[in-house]
């Protein structure tokens, strides 16, 4: 592997993956879409997942202690949202089930992330890609599906598809995806209250890329000119979503929801124009700039040879935050992120090391974001969670398929722009950290991290995180704000792994979504391959090491309507009797 700054092995020998990462979904979404597509319809997609499993505690009537909401990836174009009451048993059905064309949950990939707001139980959901253009956020990629202008056939049903221009003709390509927020108590074929994203923007839909009228996109009107829509929202292939604690005193009077975008590739932030070659300004980008070169002008024009060149570095993905209370009903095409700090998605080439890039970014390459840029260490963010103090925890997964680490980054309350993380877990070995150097969260800590939940109180130093790992069917447990690495210019906490839930007794089968209730002391996790979710009681005991332990309850079976479940959430914040430490500092 090519070594990045401070010996960080982030750029593997097969470095051209950097050029391809913008053309793919993360492993999590891509794999689930393949599974769902092969499954056919919701009525036939249970397979082995609904065979009866041995009850871990057959003599006790265990029930869920909290109301939980689950996103179902579903069969192709059949996504849904299921909410289970507190007191649900092993075979319980959802008391709220959101599904149908009005919901937009069946827009191709199905829903991924989910979060429940603490103010009044609004439910936020991400849909990574709109493949059939149900909402105008993309289109079915095969024009052969078009049967006439504005119409196509999907699963033997006629569907309105805006990109179709005639029989087997269309200007269709996969688009950017979107997030949506459902009203409390929404069920059936309910339309979302708010839809976040910019319609009619696709991956290559930038005016600066136009060569002539209609080339390469129909919206082009001439060289570097066109009517191609600017992605005002910055939402692009979103997977994770999280409501902030409205009582943390960080953003008083606001109901902030954060969305993780697995694209675009960012080369620098417009707020500081750091190019990534300056060791004080772009540490994450050093490993993803010239280090990715394999030869002269390969894979980037700024390459001068193997691992050498004048390339600015890059990170992958952004965080977009929005104040739910200010969103309009229906579509919010032209709403910029809260605390907007745009990034530039084109590299500034031919820049001498240690200098700044040009003082401008081409209009077609500006991308709105709340958090983004070289200093963020973002690398395909697929999940997010807030703690009670306003710290934002993010799972980064894009490099896993290429043999590089997946890891967690943590951002201080209220921060925006090209911000440095307060903690990074699973990316760097800490030479002086116990035990005996190296710490407990080196590269390789995660095989393939998926989702994250935080157990917290008013003192963020006591935070404990639970991260699902589909790579080895486990839930990994960490304290966060310790093991500060003083040996490198990174200067962030690297945390401590304090336990792992893993083994045959756990019944974990591709665990993805995870949620924790500090109020009841329970942990919930979704099993994607067995169409089930589990509850573990007494998270305090789990923090003592975890192990090969049986869940307290498994909810499964046809009555649950679980269909390739992805994420799980519950409202977990309540008004605090005293201000949080982080909230007080932020003000």
């Amino acid at each position: 592997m090519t070594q990045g700054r401070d010996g960080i092995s982030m750029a593997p020998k097969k470095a051209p993956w950097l050029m391809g990462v913008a053309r793919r979904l993360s492993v999590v979404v891509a794999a689930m879409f393949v599974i769902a597509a092969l499954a056919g319809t919701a009525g036939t997609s249970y397979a082995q997942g609904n065979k009866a499993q041995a009850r871990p505690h057959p003599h006790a009537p265990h029930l869920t202690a909290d109301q939980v909401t689950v996103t179902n990836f579903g069969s192709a174009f059949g996504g849904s949202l299921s909410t289970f009451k507190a007191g649900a048993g092993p075979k319980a059905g959802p008391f709220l089930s959101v599904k149908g064309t009005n919901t937009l949950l069946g827009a191709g990939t199905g829903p991924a992330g989910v979060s429940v707001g603490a103010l009044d139980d609004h439910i936020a959901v991400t849909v990574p890609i709109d493949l059939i253009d149900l909402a105008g956020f993309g289109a079915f990629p095969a024009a052969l599906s078009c049967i006439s202008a504005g119409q196509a056939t999907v699963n033997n049903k006629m569907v309105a598809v805006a990109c179709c221009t005639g029989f087997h003709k269309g200007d269709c390509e996969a688009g950017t995806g979107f997030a949506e927020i459902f009203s409390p108590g929404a069920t059936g074929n309910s339309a979302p209250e708010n839809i976040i994203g910019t319609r009619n923007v696709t991956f290559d839909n930038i005016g600066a890329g136009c060569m002539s009228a209609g080339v390469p996109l129909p919206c082009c009107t001439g060289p570097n000119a066109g009517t191609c829509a600017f992605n005002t929202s910055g939402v692009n292939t979103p997977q994770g979503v999280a409501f902030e604690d409205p009582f943390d005193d960080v953003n008083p009077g606001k109901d902030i929801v954060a969305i993780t975008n697995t694209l675009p590739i960012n080369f620098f932030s417009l707020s500081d124009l750091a190019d990534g070659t300056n060791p004080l300004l772009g540490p994450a980008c050093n490993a993803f700039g010239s280090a990715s070169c394999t030869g002269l002008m390969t894979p980037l024009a700024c390459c001068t040879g193997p691992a050498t060149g004048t390339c600015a570095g890059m990170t992958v993905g952004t965080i977009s935050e929005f104040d739910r209370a200010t969103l309009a009903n229906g579509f919010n095409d032209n709403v910029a992120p809260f605390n907007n700090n745009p990034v530039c998605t084109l590299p500034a080439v031919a820049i001498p090391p240690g200098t700044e890039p040009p003082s401008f970014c081409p209009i077609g390459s500006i991308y709105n974001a709340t958090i983004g840029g070289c200093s963020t260490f973002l690398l395909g963010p697929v999940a997010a969670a807030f703690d009670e103090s306003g710290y934002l925890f993010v799972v980064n997964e894009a490099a896993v398929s290429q043999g590089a680490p997946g890891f967690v980054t943590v951002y201080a309350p209220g921060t925006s722009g090209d911000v440095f993380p307060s903690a990074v877990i699973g990316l760097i070995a800490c030479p002086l950290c116990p035990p005996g150097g190296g710490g407990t969260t080196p590269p390789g800590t995660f095989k393939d991290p998926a989702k994250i939940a935080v157990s917290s109180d008013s003192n963020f130093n006591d935070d404990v995180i639970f991260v699902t790992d589909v790579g080895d069917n486990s839930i990994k447990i960490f304290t966060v704000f310790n093991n500060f690495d003083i040996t490198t210019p990174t200067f962030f906490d690297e945390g401590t792994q304090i336990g792992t839930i893993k083994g045959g007794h756990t019944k974990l089968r591709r665990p993805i979504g995870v949620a924790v209730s500090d109020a009841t002391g329970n942990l919930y996790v979704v099993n994607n391959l067995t169409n089930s979710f589990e509850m573990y009681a007494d998270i305090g005991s789990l923090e003592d090491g975890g192990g090969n332990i049986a869940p307290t309850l498994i909810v499964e079976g046809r009555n649950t309507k679980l269909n390739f479940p992805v994420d799980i959430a519950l409202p977990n914040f309540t008004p605090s009797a005293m201000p949080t430490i982080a909230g007080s500092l932020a003000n």
Side-chain angles (χ1 to χ4, degrees), residues 198-249:
T198 304
R199 285 175 291 179
N200 301 313
V201 174
T202 51
F203 289 135
D204 298 314
N205 194 2
I206 55 175
C210 293
M211 295 180 288
S212 61
V215 179
L217 296 169
C219 60
C220 293
T221 58
N224 294 323
T227 59
C228 310
F230 173 66
N231 193 342
T232 307
S233 68
V235 173
N236 192 337
T237 324
Q239 292 194 51
V241 63
F243 275 105
E244 183 184 354
D245 179 359
F247 315 111
D248 61 13
D249 203 31

Side-chain angles (χ1 to χ4, degrees), residues 503-569:
H505 294 308
T506 69
K507 306 297 183 184
L508 294 173
R509 293 289 305 278
R510 193 172 174 80
I512 301 183
V514 62
V516 63
S517 172
D518 286 317
T520 63
N522 290 286
L523 178 75
Y524 298 86
V525 61
V526 157
N527 285 305
N528 178 251
L529 288 187
T530 57
N531 291 320
S532 67
F533 71 85
E534 302 177 2
M535 183 183 78
Y536 290 85
D538 189 9
I539 57 175
S541 65
L542 299 179
E543 294 170 8
D544 291 333
N548 184 11
I549 55 177
T552 307
L553 170 71
I554 300 177
V555 178
E556 61 182 346
R558 288 187 176 275
N559 195 45
T560 67
K561 305 254 189 304
L562 294 174
N563 193 353
F564 294 108
V566 181
D567 203 2
I568 189 168

